[in-house]
Amino acid sequence: MSRCLTEPVPRGRVAAFRTLIYLFVAADLVVFTPWVRTRVSVPGELYQPLLVGRMLPLPTPTPALVAVLFWALLLLALLAATGRAPRLLGWAVFALYFEWMIVAMSYGKVDHDRFGLLVALAVLPTAGRARHGDTTRTEAGGWALRVTQIAVICTYFLAAWAKLRFGGLDWLTGSVLARAIIRRGTELADLIASVPYLLIVAQFGIVAFELLSPVVFLLRERWRLATVGFFYSFHLVTIATITISFAPHLAAMTSFLPLERVRPVVWTRRLLTRGGRDTGRPADADDPSPSLAGQASAAGRPDGP
């Protein structure tokens, strides 16, 4: 069991995941949840903090408090994305984002798509230092990614459990998707809804998919990646039909992917270098020039290193 939880992964994967998650936090503040800053304009008595907010306890949000929280979190998330001071900045980002979520979810609606992201923020500071492209393996980083993966799959499984617990079998045979399409459906959703019984079949399929999601941990890496691809396609269809985004969940789900293979900085550098050669600019110093190569041949030595 401990081997499964601490399976070593390349440090480059941890570094890439860390950068992606902290950049998403910054994007979340300005793209997905900027409305949190407007919540404090309502009367304070409407603020009903979550259980954790009552246990700590935390102050009732004010415009000044939320403004400080917003700017501090935005700055620290961008700094943390660089990989510097991973523990100090990591714990600070987690604490501030946790409070940001308590403010967001204490006015009557709690989104379950942020569980995996919160867990990722909680465990990333324990992964230690990691550099992009580093192929050495780390158990601490493996543990951080595995715990995030478990949180992602728990989001699916517990969502199915909640459906059956509160909706019973009526959730499977009722008009859940039909109501969602009426409220926020797209033209694609209208086409699907016109097919008899297809929405009922889809509801059975959704619950089956969520209940079976833990099987992903039993698969070999190739099939595991294919299954994660199916998870992403499921959310793509969700966005295309009923315009519900699970962006925080999708960001956390990248913990399953070999992110160390994604090197945009290196790719850009290679592209610029190749462009420089095509336009006649001098090649990199690492590349032997034709004249030196010819001299090496003339001296009886083979070209190149």
Side-chain angles (χ1 to χ4, degrees), residues 127-216:
R129 293 187 177 276
R131 296 183 62 183
H132 290 271
D134 191 346
T135 58
T136 58
R137 294 182 172 268
T138 166
E139 290 189 352
W143 181 82
L145 292 181
R146 181 68 78 201
V147 171
T148 304
Q149 293 169 3
I150 293 173
V152 167
I153 298 304
C154 283
T155 301
Y156 288 130
F157 187 83
L158 295 178
W161 175 258
K163 290 179 178 68
L164 297 176
R165 178 187 177 188
F166 297 105
L169 295 179
D170 289 340
W171 197 97
L172 299 171
T173 59
S175 56
V176 177
L177 290 181
R179 289 197 300 269
I181 291 174
I182 292 173
R183 289 179 55 201
R184 52 193 307 166
T186 64
E187 293 182 0
L188 176 60
D190 292 338
L191 291 175
I192 295 174
S194 64
V195 180
Y197 301 107
L198 184 56
L199 295 183
I200 300 297
V201 172
Q203 288 168 184
F204 273 91
I206 289 171
V207 172
F209 147 65
E210 292 174 337
L211 289 176
L212 293 174
S213 59
V215 174
V216 70

Side-chain angles (χ1 to χ4, degrees), residues 68-118:
V68 170
L69 183 63
F70 174 86
W71 290 110
L73 182 54
L74 182 61
L75 175 62
L76 292 179
L78 292 175
L79 289 175
T82 66
R84 300 179 184 274
R87 290 183 175 84
L88 177 62
L89 291 176
W91 288 121
V93 170
F94 168 69
L96 292 174
Y97 191 78
F98 190 59
E99 167 63 3
W100 182 260
M101 284 294 96
I102 291 176
V103 174
M105 306 302 166
S106 294
Y107 291 88
K109 180 178 181 293
V110 179
D111 296 329
H112 68 285
D113 63 341
R114 297 179 179 272
F115 177 59
L117 179 63
L118 282 169

